[in-house]
Amino acid sequence: MKNFILTSIIALISFFSFAQGPAGAGGNAPNLNRGHVFGKVVDEQGKPVEFASVVLLKTVVDPATKQNKDILVKAQQAELNGDFNFKEIPVNVRLKLKISFVGYKNYEAPVQFEMPKMDPSSAPKPGQAPDPAVMAKMMAAFEKDLGNIKLLSDSKELEAVVVTSTKALLEMDIDKKSFNVGQNLVTSGGTAVDVMRNIPSVQVDIDGNVKVRNANPTLFIDGRPTSLSMDQIPADIIEKVEVITNPSAKYDASGSMAGIINIILKKNKKNGYNGMLNLSADRFGGSSIMGNFSYQQNKWSLTLMGMKMNMRNVTEGNSQRNSNIGGVESSVYQDINSKNKGSMFFPRFSVDYAATNRTTLTLAGFFGGGGKFSPTEDIKITSMVNNFTTLSNRLSESSREFNPTGLQLGFKHTYPKAGEELSMDFNYFGGTNKNDATYTTNYLNNGIITGTQIQKNIGSGSNKFMTFQTDYVRPLKNEGTIEMGVRAQLFELVNENNNTLKAVGTDVYKPIPSASTNYENQNRVYAAYVSISGKSANKISYKIGLRAESSSYDGKLLNTNQKFSNSFPLSLFPSIFLKKDLTPTDQLQLSITRRVSRPNFFQIIPFVDFSDSLNITRGNADLVPEFTTSGELSYSKTKGSATFLLSGYYKYTDNLITRFLSQEINPISGKLDLINTFVNANSSINFGIEGTYTNKLQNWWDLTANINMYNSKINTANIEKAQITDGLWTVFGKLNNTFQLPKKWSIQLSMDYQGKTNMPISQNQGQGGGGGGPMGQAQSSSQGYIEPFYGVDLAIKKTFLKNDLASLTLAANDVFRTRGNTRYSYGEGFSQKYYRLSNPQMIRLTLSIRFGQFNMNSMKRNNNQNQDGMQMGQ
């Protein structure tokens, strides 16, 4: 009977192998490598043991000695959550599992496949296909779940060991690129803006606005959207930056057309306690202190972080605008000097509790922090109207303050089957803000003040941002997985902004309703997605997804009780990712996605903002969403320590939402004026080619190089009196060198170059946001360009104390004062040139000290990756 059952099994396997195996010689041979063994390595407390060595051996008889001997079948390291997984192993031999790791006793156990009992009548007859139910039962017998394998602590005490390793600078995945920045010298003591200057594919302009392929990306922290800005994230807590140029269906379809930048924060990886303290100061008087403390023991993990930053920023610039409106020729020249003095305090906590060996609960948040800034500005203005010249001096003093609060609740459960997990997250971020500004304009004649006008702006606001998200991942055959999830996002915003004006010759402040923007706004986004990944018979890896998303908003102008609302219908957003391993070192990838950008409340409300008489803005209630289809083809090659990546990309957008300046009747003055609004252009096209190269040229020299050549064009044929321009070719490049010198010295030299380019489409171009400047027109992406510029950064680091526990870093940014930004804009009846330079030749000194105790009994890592306590509303 046993022989009959074994013959039946071989017959079934032979049939299955014939159906699935390759054609040609050997294609019909029985394939007995159908076994699947998996499990999880844990310690005595049931916590995962990451990187444990797991070896599968088979026992055979040595023909020479006639003795049993063990032969290696497969080996691997346990994953971060302790999982191991062996596929395609023989089912007809004696197997043995061995697990070892530092600080634990070795584990050894036999592995056997138990064949199910069968009715002889169930075997297939000659010429008859096997019964699918029988086949499923047979194949299930080749699956072996070993469950949780507990390693016992080794009682031997080990001497302290310091292990030093360097992560690869660039890591590739099917839908993203990851850059390890934990050891970046130039950014020490700075913010995430400084980190982005050294990331390939990423551009940073003079205001710290981050761009990817000349558009603004969405910022994530630890895989979740955030309301934080880049300058509110300390560089020293960033472990990795993921650049997702073409997001899959898993991510929100709405948002930036430039993709996603996901910042991964550093997390404690050791049982026991450890921490760090950073102190820094710069040449403009800025300083910062940041402390981080982590403690892990048994089922608990606690992280506390506090950061106090004092900022002193300086900006110099000038602007000139010529216009001809209604036959009146005028020109305005401005000489601008501004300073921003501010401080920010940011405390954060995170607690993880391992309720079971497979379930982790997370509580994280921040409160009691905030920031206060006091920008000042001195603008000398020369105006000429019909050959009559007037001089004035505008002085502004402002105070801005924000107080955020955030809370995150997380749940994560992993299943015995390797790779299967369920996670649920709730995030709340809220805050209040207020501002107080006084703008004093002195009119001059031969240096004597002939009149003074004073404008005051007092404002306050609040916001609430909540998300609910559930994600489920389950492994499939052929190294595949299925991911699915649902998400709800709710956003509330209230703003009150009141302006008063004391005109020349009066002592009475009168309200200016046209410059008082009081509103409340609610946005809602609901989404669900499903994504399937795997590998086909011809070894092509795939990830195919579909996302369904709808949104709505309601708004109200508090001054007039006008209400605005819109509901965008359910839309589908497919995504396709394909990857083919041409050789063990060569890889080809293709991705195609669809995304949407819906007009926001600020772009739609028809309110005319006259708070700056030279920068009048108005919303457009007729705006419709823009849809973008993106495609990208990439080739990567790895040779030794070198990685080369070449990508070609294409992006087409319908109904592009862009700023536009035109001559209209000013509803306040009743005269013809330049009004800045938003319009839907016909379309836009962006395409280009990008190359990235990383290599450890010598043991002491790491190099990263990036070059991006692209063309961008906006079709404004549907806009009356718009100037049609040809597509503009440009180039962007970066070069980053890190040198490890003797006696624990390090040097990092970085350079970047931006050629002539169109202005970013989705950039915030209001006051202080990189647009036309405090007294200049906000500039439109369809009506101007940016002149070329370059910059050089240098940093020197010295590591000292036992086990390299302390380091001192001296960094200099924009060494040659060359990152000045010159913008040209033009349109019906006007042209403008605007130049600015911020914080040139910034020099910063940073001292970093680490401390802690390390418990070798549990080399583990908390498996909850969705900490998002850094997020906050502003």
Side-chain angles (χ1 to χ4, degrees):
M1 178 60 69
K2 290 182 179 180
N3 291 336
F4 176 84
I5 293 177
L6 181 59
T7 302
S8 300
I9 293 173
I10 293 176
L12 287 172
I13 296 176
S14 299
F15 175 85
F16 188 83
S17 300
F18 177 82
Q20 302 291 333
N28 297 338
N31 182 2
L32 297 181
N33 294 334
R34 291 289 179 182
H36 182 198
V37 174
F38 54 95
K40 187 185 187 79
V41 185
V42 299
D43 61 15
E44 292 173 282
Q45 285 80 39
K47 309 291 281 184
V49 179
E50 65 175 14
F51 305 130
S53 176
V54 186
V55 178
L56 195 62
L57 306 167
K58 68 177 179 179
T59 303
V60 299
V61 178
D62 189 335
T65 63
K66 307 300 182 183
Q67 301 293 323
N68 289 342
K69 70 174 183 178
D70 294 331
I71 298 177
L72 177 66
V73 176
K74 288 192 177 183
Q76 63 180 230
Q77 285 185 327
E79 297 179 7
L80 300 180
N81 62 355
D83 286 337
F84 63 90
N85 190 10
F86 294 110
K87 297 180 179 180
E88 298 182 354
I89 60 176
V91 299
N92 60 338
V93 297
R94 289 186 294 171
L95 299 174
K96 183 187 299 182
L97 184 75
K98 284 189 175 182
I99 303 176
S100 60
F101 196 62
V102 177
Y104 296 92
K105 294 180 180 180
N106 292 340
Y107 173 89
E108 182 176 325
V111 176
Q112 288 183 319
F113 292 98
E114 299 178 1
M115 300 305 171
K117 295 182 179 181
M118 287 185 54
D119 185 348
S121 61
S122 64
K125 296 179 175 57
Q128 179 183 3
D131 180 24
V134 176
M135 179 179 288
K137 189 175 181 181
M138 285 293 184
M139 298 311 297
F142 301 151
E143 296 259 346
K144 189 72 173 178
D145 183 357
L146 302 180
N148 291 349
I149 298 176
K150 184 180 296 184
L151 296 187
L152 302 178
S153 299
D154 195 338
S155 60
K156 296 179 181 179
E157 291 292 333
L158 301 178
E159 295 294 332
V161 177
V162 177
V163 179
T164 303
S165 62
T166 302
K167 292 183 178 180
L169 299 176
L170 169 62
E171 299 175 359
M172 291 292 299
D173 202 347
I174 192 171
D175 58 354
K176 63 188 174 186
K177 294 176 289 186
S178 300
F179 300 93
N180 293 297
V181 298
Q183 304 301 318
N184 195 296
L185 307 184
V186 172
T187 64
S188 182
T191 67
V193 174
D194 303 296
V195 173
M196 296 304 149
R197 296 188 192 277
N198 293 278
I199 300 296
S201 306
V202 178
Q203 304 151 271
V204 181
D205 69 12
I206 194 68
D207 296 300
N209 295 307
V210 174
K211 299 177 289 181
V212 175
R213 296 173 180 171
N214 207 39
N216 299 95
T218 300
L219 178 62
F220 277 31
I221 293 180
D222 285 339
R224 293 291 183 264
T226 178
S227 298
L228 275 175
S229 60
M230 290 280 188
D231 59 357
Q232 295 172 333
I233 306 173
D236 297 290
I237 66 171
I238 299 176
E239 177 73 22
K240 180 189 297 186
V241 175
E242 296 177 347
V243 180
I244 308 172
T245 54
N246 215 5
S248 68
K250 180 177 180 179
Y251 300 99
D252 287 346
S254 57
S256 170
M257 297 300 103
I260 294 169
I261 288 181
N262 184 28
I263 293 178
I264 306 297
L265 304 181
K266 293 178 180 178
K267 300 178 180 67
N268 176 34
K269 303 177 183 180
K270 305 177 181 70
N271 231 23
Y273 72 88
N274 66 85
M276 64 177 293
L277 179 67
N278 271 17
L279 303 171
S280 73
D282 63 55
R283 82 177 185 95
F284 293 121
S287 63
S288 69
I289 178 171
M290 189 199 75
N292 187 44
F293 176 81
S294 297
Y295 177 79
Q296 288 198 21
Q297 193 64 43
N298 299 327
K299 295 179 177 292
W300 291 93
S301 173
L302 171 67
T303 299
L304 301 174
M305 192 274 283
M307 181 267 295
K308 178 71 163 63
M309 181 177 290
N310 298 312
M311 288 166 281
R312 304 291 185 269
N313 298 323
V314 298
T315 300
E316 58 187 72
N318 58 74
S319 123
Q320 182 171 354
R321 190 183 75 190
N322 301 313
S323 62
N324 187 331
I325 303 175
V328 178
E329 293 188 359
S330 66
S331 63
V332 179
Y333 179 82
Q334 304 172 60
D335 185 23
I336 306 166
N337 288 280
S338 62
K339 297 181 180 180
N340 190 1
K341 178 181 179 181
S343 64
M344 181 169 61
F345 175 59
F346 180 57
R348 170 180 175 262
F349 75 92
S350 175
V351 179
D352 296 313
Y353 173 68
T356 70
N357 61 328
R358 299 188 187 280
T359 303
T360 303
L361 305 176
T362 297
L363 171 65
F366 52 87
F367 55 89
K372 185 174 183 179
F373 305 92
S374 301
T376 61
E377 200 160 48
D378 184 349
I379 306 177
K380 295 178 174 60
I381 306 171
T382 302
S383 302
M384 180 179 292
V385 180
N386 292 335
N387 296 322
F388 180 76
T389 302
T390 60
L391 302 176
S392 60
N393 183 202
R394 171 163 159 155
L395 304 172
S396 65
E397 295 183 354
S398 305
S399 175
R400 304 170 186 170
E401 184 177 340
F402 67 93
N403 298 282
T405 301
L407 178 67
Q408 184 218 358
L409 301 175
F411 167 88
K412 186 170 184 178
H413 179 76
T414 60
Y415 295 85
K417 190 171 185 178
E420 184 178 6
E421 63 182 42
L422 172 68
S423 62
M424 291 184 286
D425 293 280
F426 165 74
N427 295 283
Y428 168 81
F429 308 104
T432 60
N433 62 82
K434 59 183 180 180
N435 62 276
D436 188 344
T438 300
Y439 305 94
T440 302
T441 303
N442 295 315
Y443 297 95
L444 308 174
N445 186 3
N446 294 323
I448 300 175
I449 299 176
T450 60
T452 299
Q453 174 183 283
I454 301 177
Q455 180 178 341
K456 290 188 176 182
N457 182 304
I458 300 176
S460 62
S462 64
N463 62 14
K464 297 178 182 179
F465 182 73
M466 291 182 289
T467 60
F468 305 82
Q469 182 157 341
T470 299
D471 298 282
Y472 174 72
V473 182
R474 181 178 177 84
L476 303 174
K477 294 181 179 180
N478 300 323
E479 304 178 18
T481 59
I482 180 170
E483 299 178 67
M484 59 186 70
V486 294
R487 175 184 172 88
Q489 175 180 302
L490 309 175
F491 180 65
E492 296 183 7
L493 178 66
V494 177
N495 184 77
E496 295 186 2
N497 189 19
N498 297 306
N499 271 270
T500 57
L501 178 68
K502 187 179 80 168
V504 176
T506 69
D507 293 325
V508 178
Y509 284 91
K510 294 184 178 181
I512 315 175
S514 61
S516 300
T517 313
N518 302 323
Y519 55 83
E520 58 185 28
N521 178 35
Q522 298 86 34
N523 283 297
R524 297 166 293 277
V525 180
Y526 304 99
Y529 77 92
V530 61
S531 178
I532 299 177
S533 62
K535 183 176 289 187
S536 65
N538 54 2
K539 304 300 182 183
I540 294 180
S541 299
Y542 59 87
K543 185 174 184 178
I544 301 174
L546 182 65
R547 186 178 186 89
E549 192 169 288
S550 68
S551 70
S552 62
Y553 75 84
D554 294 291
K556 180 180 179 181
L557 292 178
L558 302 181
N559 289 350
T560 61
N561 285 325
Q562 287 179 274
K563 296 183 179 180
F564 305 90
S565 64
N566 205 337
S567 179
F568 298 105
L570 185 71
S571 299
L572 300 179
F573 302 93
S575 65
I576 300 174
F577 293 82
L578 303 174
K579 182 179 73 171
K580 171 68 175 179
D581 294 326
L582 304 177
T583 71
T585 60
D586 295 70
Q587 201 175 84
L588 195 64
Q589 294 181 342
L590 173 67
S591 63
I592 300 174
T593 64
R594 183 174 188 256
R595 293 173 64 78
V596 65
S597 181
R598 304 177 182 94
N600 61 44
F601 177 70
F602 316 104
Q603 296 170 329
I604 290 178
I605 57 175
F607 175 81
V608 178
D609 186 350
F610 196 72
S611 56
D612 186 340
S613 60
L614 293 180
N615 188 10
I616 305 169
T617 61
R618 174 182 56 78
N620 180 3
D622 296 325
L623 287 178
V624 298
E626 63 180 40
F627 289 87
T628 298
T629 300
S630 303
E632 185 168 344
L633 180 64
S634 301
Y635 166 76
S636 63
K637 182 177 181 64
T638 302
K639 185 176 182 180
S641 62
T643 299
F644 172 71
L645 173 66
L646 183 66
S647 301
Y649 56 90
Y650 178 88
K651 185 182 298 181
Y652 178 84
T653 301
D654 270 323
N655 295 317
L656 176 81
I657 299 173
T658 180
R659 281 185 178 269
F660 192 79
L661 275 72
S662 62
Q663 295 186 22
E664 300 179 23
I665 297 297
N666 186 332
I668 307 302
S669 65
K671 299 179 180 179
L672 196 64
D673 215 331
L674 284 176
I675 306 295
N676 190 351
T677 186
F678 296 89
V679 297
N680 284 112
N682 263 347
S683 61
S684 73
I685 296 176
N686 292 272
F687 60 92
I689 185 169
E690 181 180 27
T692 301
Y693 177 75
T694 66
N695 193 7
K696 194 174 187 66
L697 298 177
Q698 302 289 337
N699 290 332
W700 48 271
W701 183 9
D702 289 327
L703 178 142
T704 301
N706 173 257
I707 187 168
N708 183 12
M709 294 178 290
Y710 57 93
N711 183 283
S712 57
K713 180 179 180 179
I714 299 176
N715 181 355
T716 56
N718 63 310
I719 303 175
E720 186 179 357
K721 297 182 181 181
Q723 297 184 18
I724 308 300
T725 58
D726 296 328
L728 179 63
W729 277 101
T730 190
V731 62
F732 169 75
K734 280 187 177 182
L735 186 64
N736 193 332
N737 298 271
T738 302
F739 306 97
Q740 302 293 337
L741 304 181
K743 298 184 179 181
K744 299 182 180 180
W745 285 90
S746 304
I747 295 179
Q748 184 170 317
L749 178 64
S750 303
M751 295 161 277
D752 60 78
Y753 171 81
Q754 172 67 69
K756 179 180 178 181
T757 180
N758 288 329
M759 281 177 283
I761 293 170
S762 55
Q763 182 172 315
N764 175 19
Q765 296 172 333
Q767 183 173 326
M775 285 288 290
Q777 287 287 350
Q779 293 171 318
S780 165
S781 56
S782 61
Q783 295 173 288
Y785 60 90
I786 303 174
E787 282 283 279
F789 64 91
Y790 72 95
V792 176
D793 302 325
L794 176 68
I796 302 174
K797 177 181 179 180
K798 169 64 175 177
T799 302
F800 55 97
L801 295 185
K802 184 179 180 181
N803 297 330
D804 299 336
L805 291 179
S807 65
L808 193 64
T809 303
L810 181 66
N813 298 93
D814 194 13
V815 175
F816 302 113
R817 293 176 60 94
T818 53
R819 282 204 177 101
N821 192 276
T822 302
R823 302 185 174 207
Y824 290 88
S825 61
Y826 44 83
E828 180 194 5
F830 80 95
S831 65
Q832 178 173 304
K833 176 184 176 181
Y834 181 46
Y835 168 83
R836 276 186 310 153
L837 178 64
S838 292
N839 295 331
Q841 297 176 319
M842 168 69 80
I843 298 175
R844 184 186 295 114
L845 183 66
T846 302
L847 172 66
S848 180
I849 302 174
R850 295 181 294 112
F851 61 89
Q853 291 183 351
F854 177 43
N855 183 353
M856 287 289 293
N857 288 334
S858 185
M859 295 269 297
K860 72 176 187 65
R861 177 179 181 175
N862 173 19
N863 67 352
N864 191 326
Q865 301 296 309
N866 289 329
Q867 297 182 26
D868 195 19
M870 283 292 296
Q871 301 183 25
M872 66 181 177
Q874 182 173 341

